[in-house]
Amino acid sequence: MKLLAGITAALLLALGLLVLAVRTDPDVPLTLTAAETDIPWCSTDEPVIVADLTTDALPTCAPHGVEMRFPDGAVIDLPDEPGTGARSVGVHDYTYVDVGIFGMYTSRADRACEHVEQWGTPEAVRRVTEAFGDDAPCVPDRG
């Protein structure tokens, strides 16, 4: 019985590390432990309202396969699996990062990166900013 429990624990750890690898780009320093990625997927078809992400309450599930609606009306369709992404609409760049149990981080920045808005739990915003810097929402030179 102890052997089965040990194998199960090892499989759960490996699954957590695999989820972490899928959720983050290996070229960036955003890291989450297996426990920090252990959040169930949401089972609702309700859209994610970006303005509602700025809260002290941690999420109970990770959204996937639904619309993410920004306050200005821009919409990003989230993929079927939690992760990261970006979309340019008009003169703005929109981004999202799944930060595991800390929730979603989202941002909107103008092309000059002079006007930036960020949404998410304080810990999600802190982790993304720590990993990518203060200009995380800004798209590098489009040269």
Side-chain angles (χ1 to χ4, degrees):
M1 198 64 163
K2 287 184 181 182
L3 178 61
L4 182 60
I7 291 171
T8 302
L11 286 173
L12 288 174
L13 177 60
L15 179 61
L17 292 174
L18 177 61
V19 168
L20 174 61
V22 168
R23 287 187 178 184
T24 61
D25 182 334
D27 295 331
V28 295
L30 178 62
T31 57
L32 299 172
T33 67
E36 291 170 338
T37 65
D38 189 19
I39 183 169
W41 290 3
C42 298
S43 59
T44 179
D45 291 333
E46 294 294 315
V48 174
I49 307 302
V50 168
D52 294 344
L53 297 175
T54 300
T55 177
D56 288 331
L58 294 178
T60 58
C61 61
H64 63 96
V66 297
E67 288 184 344
M68 176 175 279
R69 296 182 184 165
F70 285 80
D72 63 0
V75 173
I76 292 180
D77 292 323
L78 294 176
D80 289 334
E81 294 188 17
T84 65
R87 179 172 182 213
S88 294
V89 178
V91 298
H92 290 101
D93 295 312
Y94 299 85
T95 62
Y96 67 89
V97 178
D98 174 15
V99 192
I101 63 171
F102 306 111
M104 297 288 290
Y105 163 90
T106 59
S107 67
R108 179 181 89 153
D110 66 342
R111 297 288 164 83
C113 205
E114 293 174 356
H115 302 286
V116 175
E117 294 176 89
Q118 301 177 88
W119 299 271
T121 64
E123 187 63 11
V125 172
R126 185 190 73 76
R127 286 181 177 242
V128 169
T129 302
E130 184 178 89
F132 302 110
D134 291 333
D135 61 349
C138 306
V139 174
D141 182 19
R142 297 168 189 272

